[in-house]
Amino acid sequence: MATVLALHAHPDDEVFMTGGTLARAAAEGHRVVVVVATDGVVHAGTERVPSRLDELRASARALGVARVVHLGYADSGHGEVLFPDPPGRTRFVRAGTAEAAERLAAVLREEEVRMLLSYDGNGGYGHRDHVKVHEVGKLAAELAGVPRVLEATMPRDGVARLLGLARLLRLPVRFDPAALDHAYSPRAAITHRIDVRRFARQKRAALAAHRSQVHGTGRLSPLLRLLIRLPLPVFALLLGREWFIDASPVRQAAPVS
């Protein structure tokens, strides 16, 4: 048994691209730790009770995660405007990569982590905090000597098909198709495809735990509400696989189960 640590940018990110993998690792007896770079708060004064970190802890319980750590940074937001740092916190994208990596490396050493889950070089869909996660995770793994590094991603062509289907079904998804040229990863780069359909119930419960996002007014909230209301077999069909790129110092065989 080993310790698996997943680095994420914001509360709720842990669900979409790694939730099933984390639940599967926990069910198989591994110790699972989630580290989140930011608290998910962009604007001062918008903190909620329970906070997004409280929601993350509830999500973690649903997935079987043993420990949650916040690196102490603030959400950098997504879009053309990068707001000033809130009082007492630095926006993650402004943090020194070496400083943030050392914070993460301290947790990696403490937990004797054998596998780090991070993000691909594009940061998934390109959020600046997600790109920063890739940079920080890569350096921290080197500092702490973590032997296995898997970078969460999705096959770019598969994302394009899903977006096309969403438009046909008039689902509440807004995304610039041209942005896919620089988002996620080409299928040829993906080394691991993990079947997590058996853990769809845990993954759906983890998503539902992020109540401020599901029941809020954000651009993705209508889609999130739709997802948690889906029958479990349909939810498993849509979100029952997770993909990774092996970025370990020495690559090992890639499971596709």
Side-chain angles (χ1 to χ4, degrees):
M1 298 301 104
T3 298
V4 178
L5 185 148
L7 173 63
H8 287 281
H10 317 100
D12 79 14
D13 289 336
E14 80 286 349
V15 178
F16 291 102
M17 297 175 74
T18 68
T21 300
L22 298 179
R24 177 173 169 173
E28 291 175 354
H30 300 289
R31 176 172 171 82
V32 179
V33 177
V34 167
V35 174
V36 64
T38 84
D39 54 10
V41 177
V42 177
H43 301 291
T46 60
E47 294 88 345
R48 296 177 176 85
V49 179
S51 71
R52 291 195 64 184
L53 290 176
D54 289 334
E55 293 172 347
L56 172 61
R57 295 181 188 101
S59 168
R61 288 193 293 271
L63 297 174
V65 172
R67 181 186 179 191
V68 172
V69 178
H70 174 218
L71 289 184
Y73 298 105
D75 192 331
S76 305
H78 187 52
E80 295 181 1
V81 178
L82 177 58
F83 296 99
D85 292 342
R89 291 177 296 164
T90 302
R91 297 205 186 274
F92 186 44
V93 75
R94 289 197 179 102
T97 300
E99 172 205 279
E102 187 50 56
R103 290 189 190 186
L104 175 60
V107 182
L108 294 172
R109 297 185 191 104
E110 177 189 352
E111 289 284 352
E112 298 182 350
V113 170
R114 303 298 296 168
M115 179 182 289
L116 170 67
L117 306 184
S118 183
Y119 296 162
D120 68 7
N122 290 321
Y125 66 92
H127 191 297
R128 51 187 159 231
D129 282 340
H130 290 219
V131 175
K132 188 79 170 184
V133 160
H134 167 77
E135 297 167 352
V136 169
K138 181 178 180 179
L139 179 55
E142 294 172 359
L143 292 172
V146 178
R148 299 298 309 278
V149 179
L150 298 182
E151 297 176 346
T153 188
M154 293 179 69
R156 190 176 293 155
D157 58 332
V159 175
R161 286 196 295 271
L162 283 175
L163 290 173
L165 177 61
R167 286 194 296 271
L168 285 175
L169 296 176
R170 298 182 179 179
L171 297 179
V173 177
R174 291 183 290 169
F175 196 91
D176 179 6
L180 279 178
D181 293 340
H182 307 286
Y184 300 103
S185 301
R187 192 174 292 272
I190 294 172
T191 58
H192 292 61
R193 184 191 68 211
I194 311 298
D195 187 339
V196 297
R197 287 174 291 180
R198 288 185 295 126
F199 302 94
R201 187 178 302 279
Q202 293 94 316
K203 190 169 179 176
R204 188 175 65 176
L207 179 59
H210 291 282
R211 295 182 58 83
S212 65
Q213 305 307 295
V214 173
H215 302 289
T217 58
R219 62 187 180 89
L220 288 180
S221 293
L223 178 61
L224 300 183
R225 288 193 289 272
L226 174 64
L227 287 173
I228 65 171
R229 292 169 182 160
L230 290 174
L232 193 61
V234 179
F235 184 93
L237 179 65
L238 292 176
L239 297 177
R241 285 184 172 81
E242 294 170 356
W243 296 265
F244 299 88
I245 296 172
D246 194 334
S248 306
V250 179
R251 284 192 176 188
Q252 301 185 25
V256 294
S257 60

